[in-house]
Amino acid sequence: MLGPNDIKEQLSLAYIHAVASRAGCSVEKVGVDRDSIDLKLCARGQFVDDAALTSPELAVQLKATARASLTEDTLSFVLSKKNYDDLVAHSLVPRILVVFVMPEDEAQWFTLTPESLILRRCAYWHSLRGEPRTANGTAQTVHLSRQRLFTHDTLRELLMKVAREEALES
């Protein structure tokens, strides 16, 4: 049997697969996570007419939580020092943090009926690229804007920026 953390991880992967599929993108699992990357989201070919690059990719560090620290504007998430420092570094493939927020009550995480498949709550994204490395010993709190929902439209916009070699946060 999977434990609650394993189930959260699998449901967050299901969320990413659903969003990527709706966006027309593929999900590639990273075999060995050495750089704080769990998977890559990939588009193929000339993704946008004014692209500088073809087949843009976005690397994702994926987290799931059922104990989110939410305000009206932000989600605060504690990230390990290694993950944080890996995500602030410049890399060939842009990296983002995606945090999937679930209800605290496990019974509400997932519902299946003949009419619907419901995976409750949503994910938020944040690019840490260019932020200073943390001086903290073990972890760094990251504040994600609740305006940055990770949706299929958002993913397409992010991949268009990657294809144009634009900053993700602009």
Side-chain angles (χ1 to χ4, degrees):
M1 290 289 289
L2 297 176
N5 286 337
D6 299 319
I7 295 169
K8 285 189 280 188
E9 179 184 342
Q10 293 304 311
L11 291 175
S12 68
L13 285 167
Y15 180 93
I16 291 291
H17 278 269
V19 166
S21 296
R22 179 65 178 94
C25 301
S26 63
V27 178
E28 295 180 3
K29 181 121 175 94
V30 175
V32 179
D33 177 9
R34 296 271 190 246
D35 294 329
S36 301
I37 300 304
D38 297 308
L39 42 94
K40 289 184 179 176
L41 305 177
C42 309
R44 293 292 168 238
Q46 186 76 20
F47 194 66
V48 61
D49 290 340
D50 59 347
L53 303 170
T54 59
S55 300
E57 295 182 357
L58 191 59
V60 173
Q61 167 65 205
L62 180 60
K63 299 293 185 186
T65 183
R67 296 179 189 255
S69 177
L70 297 168
T71 67
E72 185 175 321
D73 300 324
T74 62
L75 159 66
S76 297
F77 187 81
V78 177
L79 195 61
S80 75
K81 175 181 175 47
K82 183 197 182 312
N83 286 164
Y84 180 87
D85 285 341
D86 284 347
L87 293 176
V88 301
H90 288 271
S91 59
L92 180 61
V93 176
R95 301 171 180 173
I96 61 171
L97 169 66
V98 175
V99 179
F100 180 57
V101 177
M102 309 168 74
E104 287 189 40
D105 180 2
E106 283 185 47
Q108 295 182 10
W109 289 357
F110 176 86
T111 305
L112 177 64
T113 69
E115 291 79 31
S116 65
L117 169 65
I118 300 171
L119 184 59
R120 288 201 173 72
R121 298 280 173 92
C122 62
Y124 302 91
W125 72 274
H126 185 73
S127 172
L128 296 164
R129 186 178 196 163
E131 293 187 19
R133 290 182 168 274
T134 183
N136 295 346
T138 59
Q140 175 69 42
T141 300
V142 177
H143 303 283
L144 294 89
S145 169
R146 292 189 68 189
Q147 299 293 316
R148 292 194 175 146
L149 287 174
F150 189 75
T151 68
H152 63 283
D153 288 333
T154 302
L155 176 56
R156 290 187 63 81
E157 289 170 19
L158 290 169
L159 288 168
M160 284 183 208
K161 288 181 177 185
V162 172
R164 292 179 181 131
E165 296 185 305
E166 297 173 350
L168 298 181
E169 296 287 339
S170 59

